[in-house]
Amino acid sequence: MFSVPAGWERSVSSQIPVKMDAISAVLLLAVFLLVALEVRVQRSKAYRAGKKYPGPRAFPVLGNAHNLLFNDQQRTFQLPRTWAKRYGDTYRILVRGLLNLNAIQAKDVEPLLSSPKLIDKGVIYTLLHNFLGIGLLNSTGPKWQHRRRILTPAFHFNILPSFLLTFQEESRRLIAQLGQFADKGTPVALQPVATKFTLNTICETAMGVKLDSMTMANEYRSRIEGIGTMLLQRLMNPWLFEEFTYKLSGLQAKFIKLLQPVHAFTRSIIQQRRELFHQNVRNLGDFSEENIYTNIKQRYAMLDTLLAAEAKEQIDEDGIREEVDTFMFEGHDTTSAAIIFTLLLIAHSPEVQQRLYEELQEVAAQRTDPDEEFTQRDYSELKYMDLVLKESLRLYPPVPFISRNISEDTWFGDRLVPKDTLFNVHIFDLHRDPAVFPEPERFDPDRFLPENVERRSPYAYVPFSAGPRNCIGQRFAILELKTVLAAILRHFRVLPVTTREEIVFVADLILRTRDPIMVRFEHRLEPDSS
């Protein structure tokens, strides 16, 4: 039989009160600290300012953290839509004592985006630093102003025709690919074909190389997709925001491993282009944009502008990589989304599609050779296409959300927004303000007729942001969209498969759907007579 040592019961019982006293003391201290933290939060300027705004119920200490955690991608996207409809005004959430304001109306978007001072990006953008560095997208202050000055000439009106040649070449390749689907009458998942098209175009226009000619093209594409997935994974899990917990999770090491070949690829292309650049301009003695564009033998690339700045010691090699990686990443996914949603909309609007086709035929008829490629001036004549693209970008803005950090106490109307507030603009909801866009879900390009536009605040529609930090490449993007849309519509009718009602959005760095968006393409002419 097992026997208990003499005195054991007395020994244990004498220790229990001591242990209980220690636990009670720890619990009491924890409660005291939590109460003190909550008192501090409630006395803060951020908390007092937040009381001026509607928002979901915030619990002591937790604030609204319970609303944000443990959501899947679908619910994470839907939650702001629910709050926008519920509150109908800029609303607040509190997380760890930090005030987050979320604007859905032009009255609060204008003072933010028009300000030359409120240009600091929100904390979310720090998640991109390992990938993109601190370039034009992520930087602020003098560095941002300096990079903006360097890069602005790369998107000058006179340089766009060089980019147009690339858009048209890739459009011809896309038409050949879509023709195979049209021959069979099979539906097409738009995301893979649109992404391949835009990644090819941005690679050639940004870096001056044809991605499909590179042996690592497919690996590069897959790595870029993988990087986007891992960035989203971190974005969806706020406890991974801190570098310590991200490293502890093991995900940081995987992310860095994924980045290494992408950065190596970018550096190798920069070096190749640098050698070519100096070979072409060695005898010029002048690295002005005009000389570069006029004299360079190969097609102009954004990288040439950066190399000219490097020659004048305005930027170093790491800075060049920052900007090339930024434009590669930003420039392909956003334009791909715009192509996908525009094709979806016109597939369901045959009358709009017919008007677009007739406009294309009218412009072509004015040319000596109707089959000759359009010029930049021809695309500028596509006025109805302008309306269609603007309405598409209203309904489905590729970047549905932007975020700024408020760098100084600022009044928005009669409400104070204190320093260090995170101020978010939900472009998706802003574009659906029923007071500005009646029946906001209806696809109606006429909303952007001049007489309708002049009645609206310019900050009610901001697919390319607005103010000092507006998108530097918006003319580039619109020309690319017009080029590919014109090519598709001159060869095919776009027929619906996926309905708009079937679309389920998921949270991502850009506007993305849970399921593929499908359409069908039908030849306008017999393949052998086109």
Side-chain angles (χ1 to χ4, degrees):
M1 295 287 292
F2 176 76
S3 59
V4 177
W8 183 84
E9 292 173 334
R10 290 193 303 275
S11 174
V12 172
S13 62
S14 66
Q15 293 178 25
I16 289 175
V18 175
K19 291 183 178 179
M20 290 300 294
D21 287 345
I23 293 172
S24 298
V26 170
L27 290 175
L28 187 62
L29 178 62
V31 170
F32 174 79
L33 291 174
L34 290 174
V35 170
L37 177 62
E38 180 62 19
V39 169
R40 182 181 178 184
V41 168
Q42 292 195 19
R43 289 180 176 177
S44 69
K45 188 183 292 186
Y47 186 89
R48 295 197 305 272
K51 293 176 71 174
K52 299 286 186 179
Y53 296 86
R57 181 184 177 186
F59 288 108
V61 181
L62 288 176
N64 294 106
H66 63 289
N67 295 118
L68 306 179
L69 298 178
F70 311 115
N71 292 323
D72 59 17
Q73 285 179 263
Q74 183 178 334
R75 178 164 169 74
T76 298
F77 181 87
Q78 192 55 45
L79 198 57
R81 316 291 79 85
T82 301
W83 286 335
K85 291 179 180 177
R86 180 183 301 168
Y87 302 116
D89 190 8
T90 296
Y91 59 90
R92 58 101 190 106
I93 56 174
L94 290 164
V95 181
R96 294 165 58 186
L98 177 67
L99 177 61
N100 290 255
L101 295 179
N102 300 272
I104 59 173
Q105 293 180 326
K107 65 181 177 63
D108 287 329
V109 173
E110 180 170 1
L112 179 73
L113 298 188
S114 64
S115 171
K117 297 180 180 180
L118 304 178
I119 61 172
D120 293 359
K121 291 297 184 79
V123 66
I124 291 171
Y125 294 84
T126 63
L127 305 186
L128 297 169
H129 285 182
N130 286 337
F131 175 28
L132 304 179
I134 307 177
L136 191 65
L137 176 66
N138 296 320
S139 60
T140 190
K143 182 174 182 179
W144 171 78
Q145 293 170 347
H146 178 63
R147 293 289 175 87
R148 182 87 180 199
R149 283 195 298 270
I150 289 175
L151 285 163
T152 295
F155 298 94
H156 190 275
F157 184 82
N158 291 334
I159 291 176
L160 289 179
S162 178
F163 295 152
L164 177 58
L165 296 175
T166 298
F167 300 157
Q168 290 173 334
E169 285 179 3
E170 290 299 329
S171 293
R172 288 194 292 271
R173 298 172 67 182
L174 177 62
I175 294 307
Q177 183 182 3
L178 296 181
Q180 297 175 10
F181 290 105
D183 292 340
K184 300 174 183 176
T186 55
V188 180
L190 290 176
Q191 202 271 345
V193 295
T195 300
K196 181 179 180 180
F197 169 83
T198 56
L199 192 53
N200 285 351
T201 57
I202 195 65
C203 187
E204 185 168 355
T205 54
M207 296 197 292
V209 299
K210 291 184 180 295
L211 188 58
D212 275 352
S213 69
M214 306 296 292
T215 56
M216 67 162 295
N218 291 332
E219 181 185 0
Y220 182 81
R221 287 194 192 94
S222 65
R223 295 268 180 175
I224 289 291
E225 291 172 3
I227 288 168
T229 300
M230 289 202 70
L231 285 170
L232 178 65
Q233 182 182 20
R234 192 176 182 189
L235 181 63
M236 296 281 293
N237 296 280
W239 54 86
L240 296 176
F241 277 27
E242 299 294 336
E243 288 295 323
F244 175 75
T245 53
Y246 191 49
K247 183 177 182 179
L248 200 64
S249 71
L251 292 173
Q252 185 185 66
K254 292 181 180 179
F255 187 59
I256 291 173
K257 186 177 180 180
L258 198 61
L259 285 177
Q260 286 173 345
V262 171
H263 286 167
F265 174 77
T266 305
R267 285 194 176 96
S268 70
I269 296 302
I270 291 171
Q271 182 56 34
Q272 291 177 39
R273 192 72 181 185
R274 180 184 287 112
E275 293 171 1
L276 178 64
F277 174 86
H278 284 286
Q279 177 184 336
N280 284 326
V281 300
R282 187 173 291 116
N283 298 322
L284 294 178
D286 179 3
F287 290 98
S288 67
E289 293 301 322
E290 183 179 356
N291 270 342
I292 296 167
Y293 179 64
T294 303
N295 291 282
I296 197 163
K297 295 177 183 177
Q298 277 71 25
R299 192 169 299 177
Y300 184 86
M302 185 195 76
L303 181 50
D304 296 320
T305 294
L306 294 168
L307 292 170
E310 181 186 47
K312 292 183 283 189
E313 299 183 347
Q314 296 174 343
I315 192 171
D316 59 16
E317 183 175 352
D318 287 337
I320 291 175
R321 186 193 58 77
E322 285 178 336
E323 302 305 344
V324 170
D325 282 335
T326 294
F327 279 91
M328 286 290 294
F329 186 68
E330 277 196 287
H332 88 274
D333 243 3
T334 52
T335 311
S336 173
I339 292 170
I340 291 167
F341 289 113
T342 301
L343 290 174
L344 170 75
L345 288 167
I346 65 175
H348 286 279
S349 305
E351 69 288 350
V352 170
Q353 189 172 164
Q354 183 60 27
R355 283 188 63 182
L356 286 169
Y357 178 69
E358 290 172 358
E359 182 178 60
L360 287 166
Q361 294 298 89
E362 289 172 5
V363 172
Q366 296 171 12
R367 302 182 59 79
T368 305
D369 180 359
D371 294 325
E372 188 180 4
E373 292 281 10
F374 280 12
T375 64
Q376 186 177 351
R377 181 175 180 179
D378 293 326
Y379 289 111
S380 69
E381 294 297 316
L382 299 175
K383 303 301 184 185
Y384 187 66
M385 187 177 286
D386 280 326
L387 306 184
V388 171
L389 287 173
K390 288 176 180 177
E391 176 69 344
S392 174
L393 294 172
R394 180 192 72 82
L395 278 167
Y396 301 119
V399 180
F401 164 94
I402 56 177
S403 180
R404 298 279 177 85
N405 182 65
I406 300 300
S407 54
E408 60 182 44
D409 288 358
T410 307
W411 286 92
F412 282 60
D414 60 351
R415 297 184 289 194
L416 175 68
V417 177
K419 180 182 178 181
D420 294 328
T421 295
L422 197 63
F423 205 111
N424 309 310
V425 177
H426 290 274
I427 299 174
F428 190 91
D429 301 305
L430 174 72
H431 288 182
R432 283 167 167 75
D433 184 351
V436 180
F437 301 104
E439 298 180 74
E441 292 295 336
R442 180 167 56 88
F443 176 55
D444 180 10
D446 287 349
R447 295 182 199 272
F448 289 91
L449 289 170
E451 59 269 26
N452 293 328
V453 171
E454 66 183 12
R455 294 197 293 265
R456 295 195 294 262
S457 164
Y459 292 88
Y461 172 75
V462 290
F464 295 103
S465 189
R469 293 207 74 148
N470 68 338
C471 175
I472 193 174
Q474 57 186 292
R475 288 192 300 188
F476 173 100
I478 291 297
L479 182 59
E480 183 174 4
L481 289 171
K482 283 187 168 185
T483 305
V484 67
L485 190 59
I488 290 173
L489 292 179
R490 293 184 75 184
H491 287 84
F492 306 107
R493 292 183 181 86
V494 188
L495 305 176
V497 176
T498 301
T499 66
R500 289 182 62 192
E501 292 72 25
E502 291 174 323
I503 294 175
V504 176
F505 290 105
V506 293
D508 203 335
L509 299 172
I510 66 158
L511 191 64
R512 202 179 299 281
T513 59
R514 183 189 64 188
D515 306 309
I517 289 180
M518 312 283 289
V519 299
R520 285 194 304 112
F521 293 94
E522 178 182 84
H523 289 287
R524 288 193 177 272
L525 300 172
E526 292 299 323
D528 59 352
S529 62
S530 61

